[in-house]
Amino acid sequence: MLDLAGRVALITGGSRGIGRAIARMLAEHGAAVAIGARNEAGVSRAVAEIGALNGGRSAGMPCDVRRWEECERLIGHTVAAFGRLDILVNNAGVGVFAPVEAMSLEEWHLQIATNLDGVFHCCRAALPHLKRAEGWIINVGSLAGKNPFAGGAAYNATKFGLLGFSEALMLEVRHSGVRVCCVMPGSVATEFASDQTTGADWKLHPEDVAEVVRDLLAFPARALPSRVEIRPSRPPSKP
Ligand SMILES: NC(=O)c1ccc[n+]([C@@H]2O[C@H](COP(=O)([O-])OP(=O)(O)OC[C@H]3O[C@@H](n4cnc5c(N)ncnc54)[C@H](OP(=O)(O)O)[C@@H]3O)[C@@H](O)[C@H]2O)c1
């Protein structure tokens, strides 16, 4: 079994959905876990839940990843609480699905700022710590990062961009011992998209994505799976 005792992980958007499942998995394997998200009550709830799994080694604070200062503060808070940082999971993300003509400027900027600026902010602030720990950056991308679809222009742009960012960063930091991977799920049953039905039984579960992360962390230091796709086995057939 993967043993993360002594390791410290930070998950953005760890208060629900995929981030919460990853945070729970890391805590169950012995890591100290910090999370950030915008909603304070959501953060407090998740910190208590994670702490019940790993003997109270959980922390968190409200953090809007669109803001550099808040990302710096969250990473500082994590290192102050646990002394190091080994695993950064850039999971916070939003999707607004609409034709370009109908999309507001706010909706466009929300997605770019959350899904791209947010990842850059957290990587930039975390890298000195991750280099010391020879740690991991796991970016939660999407199959929308390689498969465009009508109504997904803004979201597709962010996730295509994230894949490029992730792979360039991987090449940049691997000689410093930091491994970077982009995990790209298909549809997952979460509250992510208001136009999606949650809990559809053909969808992935958040825990399936957490299992991918667990398996990544179990690879020996010489090996780096840098892009992982995971999709529902039996989605509804397209006509
Ligand atoms: N669900 C899917 O089908 C699917 C498929 C592929 C990839 N993904 C990706 O998986 C990631 C997680 O999605 P999910 O399905 O778990 O969504 P979710 O259930 O809506 O959870 C999103 C999480 O991100 C946080 N968040 C949103 N905006 C934020 C911001 N500006 N700063 C900090 N935290 C923020 C949310 O908390 P607050 O609202 O409190 O901030 C929440 O904790 C996203 O990157 C998404 O693109 C999802």
Side-chain angles (χ1 to χ4, degrees), residues 57-77:
R57 289 173 54 75
S58 65
M61 63 189 298
C63 169
D64 186 333
V65 295
R66 292 174 291 176
R67 305 212 168 88
W68 159 247
E69 297 75 18
E70 295 187 23
C71 297
E72 255 193 318
R73 211 175 308 136
L74 176 64
I75 281 148
H77 175 72

Side-chain angles (χ1 to χ4, degrees), residues 139 141-143 163 167 181-186 212-213 216 219 224-231:
N139 293 322
S142 170
L143 288 179
L163 182 61
E167 295 195 340
C181 180
C182 190
V183 175
M184 302 163 66
V212 170
V213 174
L216 279 173
F219 271 83
L224 171 51
S226 49
R227 181 196 295 205
V228 182
E229 298 178 11
I230 174 169
R231 67 193 72 230

